[in-house]
Amino acid sequence: MKKLLIFLPFLLCADVLSPLQKQLLQKDMNKAIVSGDKLKNSWINPITLQYKYNRTNQPNTLQQTNSFFIGINQPIFKSGAIFASIKYADFLKSENIDKINLQKVTLIKQAYEILFNIKKIDIAIKKQKFLIANANIDIQRKKEQFLNGLTDSSFLDNAIINKNNLLLALNDLENQKQTLINNFKNLSDLDYKNINLPEFKLISKTEYLNNLNIKIAKKDIEVKKALKYMNIGNNLFSVNLIANWNYINTKYNQQSIFLQNDKDNFYNLGLSITIPLDINSFKTIEEAKIDYAKAALKYKDELLKANNQYDTKIKTIQTLNTKIKVYQSTINNYKSLIKITKDNVKAGINTTLDLENLKNSLEIAKLNQKSLEIDKEIELLNLYYLAKGFK
């Protein structure tokens, strides 16, 4: 049997994900890092290396030329665009890493949510079996009433139909459970039976408003800001360093007799100033400014949505707590009724079927309460995962 995994609150482990899922996420992470480093150096132009060999066979003369060339045309000033492009690359790399971390915690959250729903389905299946047991009791009562002429067959037929419907619903629940298990297997190689689910604590609104979506939206402002300045700089003047070195070696042969060997070795060094005259340059800059302003608005929108989401979750949790208390009251009432009915059975006032029916109803109420507690845990999970993440 696999080792039992115990997950404590706020120390949830990413090992719930399968090795395949972790490898895919790691590849995405590696790509984000490499792409970011590549983008950071994109302002550096390549050095040109060129080698040529030429052989010319003229009448009675053979000419062979070897030449080697090294050339550099490197911008050293671009009106701030170089510095902005480096900052843009760093911010974008950091944002992409956060996005991959968001993918990771979302997958982990999905795995836990499936586990909670499997547990909830198990409760629903147990509840359904108690409902079927009560349906059997109802059939037995209706049968006795029909045989004693106290009611017609339609009541017995309805009781039988009700039981059949409950059996079909039980089958549907078992199918739903298998679907959930298969969905969990898509994310994890662990046996869902060997995972103890945590009990979450309510996090504060301050913690929730510092969640991954907010962080990503905030970093996107910096990305778009750097991109704006990079576009402005690219459309102003730039200064380039130009340098090249040439080496040429030419040999002449006539009728296999060496005649001459000419060598040339020279270099050029200079600066160039470039001013791009692009009809769309101002529009390009305007687009970058709009994207920057839009990113700032998106950040505000994410904050607004997060505020509303937190308030909605809190309200849902409060409603669930109220329902849990209601079921606790129902449980207490059933316990009192069972105690009274036990005495009535001894006195011959009630039958053992009445007692069994009440006991089943008590278990159904307990299961309904447990199901609501799981709903509460799912709501807390959805608050927790964005703000806290998983180790």
Side-chain angles (χ1 to χ4, degrees):
M1 180 181 291
K2 291 183 179 179
K3 184 179 179 181
L4 182 65
L5 296 175
I6 300 177
F7 297 105
L8 300 176
F10 305 105
L11 293 173
L12 298 179
C13 182
D15 285 342
V16 69
L17 294 181
S18 67
L20 176 60
Q21 290 292 340
K22 286 188 281 188
Q23 287 173 17
L24 288 170
L25 287 167
Q26 189 58 52
K27 293 299 181 186
D28 286 339
M29 184 68 74
N30 293 343
K31 183 179 178 181
I33 293 170
V34 171
S35 297
D37 293 340
K38 176 184 173 184
L39 184 61
K40 188 174 182 179
N41 296 323
S42 62
W43 66 277
I44 302 175
N45 286 345
I47 298 174
T48 302
L49 301 176
Q50 186 183 71
Y51 170 77
K52 287 184 179 180
Y53 171 76
N54 188 51
R55 181 185 176 98
T56 303
N57 188 6
Q58 297 176 349
N60 301 320
T61 303
L62 175 65
Q63 177 182 324
Q64 298 180 81
T65 303
N66 292 279
S67 64
F68 188 72
F69 170 81
I70 300 176
I72 299 172
N73 188 344
Q74 176 59 46
I76 56 176
F77 177 78
K78 293 185 71 176
S79 304
I82 294 175
F83 179 68
S85 67
I86 294 172
K87 289 182 68 176
Y88 169 70
D90 286 337
F91 286 132
L92 186 62
K93 175 182 173 181
S94 180
E95 182 185 10
N96 287 335
I97 288 173
D98 279 350
K99 285 180 179 179
I100 294 165
N101 284 328
L102 177 59
Q103 291 176 22
K104 179 181 177 182
V105 297
T106 301
L107 288 173
I108 297 168
K109 189 270 295 188
Q110 287 175 0
Y112 288 140
E113 195 166 5
I114 291 170
L115 291 172
F116 276 118
N117 281 312
I118 290 173
K119 190 174 180 180
K120 190 176 177 181
I121 284 284
D122 283 336
I123 290 172
I125 289 171
K126 289 179 182 178
K127 173 185 169 182
Q128 201 68 14
K129 289 178 179 179
F130 281 115
L131 288 171
I132 291 169
N134 276 351
N136 283 327
I137 292 171
D138 189 44
I139 289 172
Q140 191 171 344
R141 283 173 173 168
K142 294 295 191 298
K143 186 176 180 181
E144 288 175 357
Q145 291 171 358
F146 173 70
L147 292 175
N148 291 326
L150 298 176
T151 185
D152 59 52
S153 62
S154 63
F155 291 96
L156 178 59
D157 289 341
N158 289 335
I160 293 171
I161 291 170
N162 179 53
K163 178 193 172 182
N164 289 339
N165 289 335
L166 291 171
L167 287 169
L168 292 173
L170 176 62
N171 185 63
D172 289 339
L173 288 171
E174 289 170 344
N175 288 335
Q176 290 174 31
K177 179 181 177 180
Q178 189 57 52
T179 299
L180 287 171
I181 292 171
N182 292 338
N183 290 340
F184 181 74
K185 287 179 179 179
N186 290 334
L187 299 173
S188 177
D189 291 342
L190 300 178
D191 186 347
Y192 76 95
K193 297 177 184 176
N194 294 335
I195 301 176
N196 287 342
L197 288 167
E199 292 183 5
F200 292 97
K201 293 181 181 179
L202 181 63
I203 63 172
S204 67
K205 178 178 278 192
T206 302
E207 289 176 300
Y208 187 69
L209 293 182
N210 194 34
N211 67 50
L212 274 171
N213 280 331
I214 301 296
K215 289 178 180 178
I216 290 170
K218 193 172 184 179
K219 285 185 180 179
D220 195 50
I221 295 175
E222 298 299 330
V223 169
K224 296 301 191 295
K225 182 179 179 181
L227 186 60
K228 179 186 74 170
Y229 287 119
M230 190 174 76
N231 275 287
I232 291 172
N234 284 333
N235 284 281
L236 298 177
F237 78 94
S238 63
V239 178
N240 283 34
L241 172 67
I242 300 172
N244 57 69
W245 175 74
N246 291 269
Y247 173 79
I248 303 172
N249 185 2
T250 305
K251 295 179 181 181
Y252 299 92
N253 290 277
Q254 191 174 53
Q255 297 178 351
S256 301
I257 299 174
F258 175 73
L259 296 177
Q260 186 180 353
N261 185 8
D262 293 334
K263 293 182 180 180
D264 289 320
N265 187 350
F266 60 92
Y267 69 88
N268 292 322
L269 184 63
L271 294 174
S272 71
I273 297 177
T274 304
I275 301 176
L277 298 176
D278 185 354
I279 193 172
N280 288 319
S281 61
F282 291 108
K283 292 181 179 178
T284 301
I285 294 170
E286 191 62 26
E287 281 181 340
K289 288 180 178 179
I290 292 170
D291 286 338
Y292 173 50
K294 186 178 178 181
L297 291 173
K298 280 187 175 181
Y299 173 67
K300 291 181 180 179
D301 185 53
E302 284 295 335
L303 278 175
L304 177 63
K305 287 193 292 187
N307 263 292
N308 293 333
Q309 286 166 356
Y310 185 85
D311 292 342
T312 300
K313 294 292 182 186
I314 293 299
K315 182 62 180 177
T316 302
I317 290 168
Q318 289 172 346
T319 302
L320 289 169
N321 283 334
T322 301
K323 290 180 179 180
I324 289 169
K325 288 179 181 178
V326 169
Y327 271 106
Q328 186 57 52
S329 176
T330 303
I331 289 167
N332 293 335
N333 288 334
Y334 274 124
K335 286 180 178 179
S336 297
L337 284 171
I338 288 170
K339 186 177 180 181
I340 295 169
T341 305
K342 282 181 179 178
D343 294 334
N344 288 344
V345 169
K346 291 177 182 178
I349 299 173
N350 292 113
T351 66
T352 55
L353 288 178
D354 295 328
L355 181 59
E356 186 179 349
N357 186 79
L358 284 173
K359 286 181 178 180
N360 290 339
S361 295
L362 171 62
E363 294 304 318
I364 290 169
K366 288 180 179 179
L367 291 169
N368 282 331
Q369 187 183 56
K370 287 182 179 179
S371 183
L372 289 170
E373 287 170 352
I374 292 175
D375 286 336
K376 179 181 172 181
E377 288 299 317
I378 292 173
E379 294 298 328
L380 291 171
L381 167 65
N382 279 282
L383 282 177
Y384 172 90
Y385 91 100
L386 279 177
K388 295 290 186 178
F390 302 94
K391 302 295 183 183

